[in-house]
């Protein structure tokens, strides 16, 4: 993302940090001399890899400074590491060789995200594994797959999930004043609000679901899987578009939650002031969590790992660590949709130069927003126009049909609670790879070149 590849104006750095700028110029001079010696016939490369971008005003490319100053560069998930090597830093791969660019996939700590956030599930697993050693060696989780057909284990696993959903429902009632039924499917997307993370795709999908429910007869509605869509996260202070997404979610919630025709079939909740402590209440309560970034934009993500470790399944794109999660848990235990990263450039080109047609269902969603159904449509004009008239950079329209079709598959799958339970237990048992302990071990071995140091034994032990 552009904000992760910061470029600072040279005059600004000169004014605030003159000595630092001197050092940056010295580093750049020595680096460019090295490049010229290595590639004497490729002078155009010098401009491409220079720390100083020759724009007006000149800018310091901070990512290039970081690459030159580091002895290893990690992409934090397999797809992102490949993209780093083949796109933004491909010249640097030629200069330094491929060994400088490595991959260590991110991980999470089970001490916090299982034992502390979900103590009953941690205790259930410990009861089958003979203790809590799995909290220090998460690979031991694979042993609980042997209990996937154990009636008592399944019953307790399901009871724990329901208790966690009830806790979130009680919290929602107390803090937001919204009553939700814990028997509903809990669909959760909590993360930083950003166009690339596509909370807008989620809320457009919710509006589509609402319109479909309104079209149904009372008899048909009785067959529908009830769902609660939870959102949470914060927008950067100056990020107007992200704030409009939050505004739309809240406006949709006001309409949907007070529609007597719909009742408990659909609820929309924006959880205020989301933070990590609240995530400990939210994460164990999910049935499905949304990790739906435009393919190729999410470096890794770790909330996807936290949700699965707590017995929730994922709807997601082939992006970030979703790819490795799919490999570990199996394609039957995750719901993937959308275009692939290798198609993104062609799709963006097609928006500007091809004959792109908006999906009729998405057009109806936009028409409903423009009609004032969710309040004054003025603030949402930029959000809709960015998709309809300005190239849809994050490919919401391209992935919309695949997204709503996959949501229908989730509704059907959730109705078979026994099969769903099998999926969730299997997914939890296969999450051993995603421990931060494994991640740190790989850093120590591949990047830091250090040996683990056993803690000293206590005196008298």
């Amino acid at each position: 993302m552009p904000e992760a590849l910061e470029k600072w104006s040279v005059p600004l750095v000169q004014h605030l940090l003159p000595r630092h700028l001197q050092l940056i110029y010295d580093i750049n001079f020595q680096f460019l001399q090295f490049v010229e010696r290595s590639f004497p016939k490729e002078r155009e490369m010098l401009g491409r890899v220079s720390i100083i971008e020759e724009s007006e005003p000149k800018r310091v490319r901070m990512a290039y400074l970081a690459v030159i100053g580091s002895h290893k560069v990690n992409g934090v998930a397999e797809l992102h590491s490949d993209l780093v090597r083949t796109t933004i830093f491909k010249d640097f791969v030629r200069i330094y060789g491929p060994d400088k660019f490595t991959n260590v996939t991110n991980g999470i700590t089970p001490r916090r995200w299982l034992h502390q956030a979900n103590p009953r599930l941690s205790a259930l697993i410990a009861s089958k594994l003979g203790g809590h050693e799995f909290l220090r060696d998460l690979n031991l989780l694979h042993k609980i797959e042997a209990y996937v057909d154990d009636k008592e284990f399944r019953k307790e696993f399901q009871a724990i999930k329901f208790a966690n959903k009830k806790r979130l429902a009680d919290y929602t009632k107390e803090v937001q004043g919204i009553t939700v039924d814990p028997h509903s499917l809990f669909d959760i997307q909590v993360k930083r609000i950003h166009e690339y993370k596509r909370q807008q795709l989620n809320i457009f999908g919710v509006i589509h679901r609402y319109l479909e429910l309104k079209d149904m007869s009372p008899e048909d509605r009785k067959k529908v899987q009830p769902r609660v869509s939870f959102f949470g996260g914060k927008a950067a202070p100056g990020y107007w578009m992200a704030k409009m997404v939050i505004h739309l979610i809240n406006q949709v919630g006001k309409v949907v939650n007070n529609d007597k025709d719909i009742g408990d079939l659909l609820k929309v909740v924006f959880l205020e002031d989301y933070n990590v402590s609240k995530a400990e209440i939210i994460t164990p309560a999910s049935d499905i969590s949304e990790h739906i970034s435009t393919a190729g934009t999410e470096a890794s993500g770790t909330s996807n790992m936290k949700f699965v470790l707590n017995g929730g399944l994922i709807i997601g794109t082939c992006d970030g660590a979703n790819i490795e999660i799919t490999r570990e848990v199996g394609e039957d235990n995750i719901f993937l949709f959308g275009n692939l990263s290798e198609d993104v450039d062609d799709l963006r080109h097609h928006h500007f130069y091809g004959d792109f047609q908006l999906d009729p269902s998405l057009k109806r969603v936009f028409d409903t927003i423009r009609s004032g159904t969710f309040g004054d449509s003025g603030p949402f004009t930029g959000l809709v126009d960015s998709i309809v008239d300005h190239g849809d950079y994050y490919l919401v329209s391209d992935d919309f049909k695949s997204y709503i079709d996959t949501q229908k598959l989730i509704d059907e799958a959730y109705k078979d609670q026994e099969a769903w339970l099998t999926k969730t237990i299997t997914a939890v048992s296969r999450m051993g790879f995603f421990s931060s302990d494994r991640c740190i071990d790989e850093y120590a071995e591949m990047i830091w070149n250090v040996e683990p140091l056993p803690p000293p034994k206590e005196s008298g032990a």
Side-chain angles (χ1 to χ4, degrees), residues 152-170:
E152 285 303 309
F153 183 83
R154 289 170 70 88
K155 184 179 175 185
E156 180 63 10
F157 192 98
Q158 199 164 32
I160 291 165
K161 175 59 74 174
F162 186 78
N164 287 326
K165 289 173 71 174
K166 176 123 186 12
R167 178 175 64 162
L168 179 57
D170 293 343

Side-chain angles (χ1 to χ4, degrees), residues 2 14 16 23 66-67 102 107 130 215 239 249 292 313 369 379-380 428-429 447:
Q14 172 81 53
L16 294 174
L23 294 170
V67 170
T102 188
D215 290 342
Y239 196 170
I249 293 165
I292 56 176
L313 301 182
I369 294 170
F380 309 128
V428 171
S429 72
I447 296 174

Side-chain angles (χ1 to χ4, degrees), residues 198 294 339 343-359 362 366 385-400:
R198 298 203 296 190
T294 310
N339 288 284
D343 300 324
V344 166
D345 286 343
D346 288 342
L347 289 166
R348 285 175 176 157
H349 183 270
H350 186 62
H351 275 276
F352 281 109
Y353 302 108
D355 181 29
F356 182 80
Q357 297 294 318
L358 201 62
D359 182 89
L362 186 57
F366 291 162
D385 287 353
S386 70
I387 295 165
V388 177
D389 298 324
H390 301 301
D392 189 12
Y393 187 77
Y394 296 103
L395 306 183
V396 170
S397 55
D398 298 271
D399 285 346
F400 185 75

Side-chain angles (χ1 to χ4, degrees), residues 279-333:
E280 291 182 21
I281 299 170
I282 296 164
T283 306
S286 87
D287 293 307
I288 202 86
S289 61
E290 308 229 2
H291 309 277
I292 56 176
S293 52
T294 310
T297 59
E298 185 71 82
S300 166
T302 52
S303 67
N304 44 10
M305 305 169 192
K306 294 165 192 169
F307 280 108
V308 179
L309 187 61
N310 280 277
L313 301 182
I314 283 174
I315 178 172
T317 47
C318 292
D319 198 26
N322 288 353
I323 294 168
E324 284 117 305
I325 291 173
T326 303
R327 186 178 63 210
E328 295 294 320
V329 305
E331 290 183 8
D332 293 340
N333 302 313

Side-chain angles (χ1 to χ4, degrees), residues 6 37 48 63 113 118 157 177 180 182 198 244-245 258 299 384 429 437 439 461:
E6 289 183 350
R37 285 195 304 272
R48 292 201 305 268
W113 292 110
N118 202 345
F157 192 98
V180 299
R198 298 203 296 190
M244 287 306 101
V245 173
N258 294 299
V384 173
S429 72
D437 301 331
C439 180

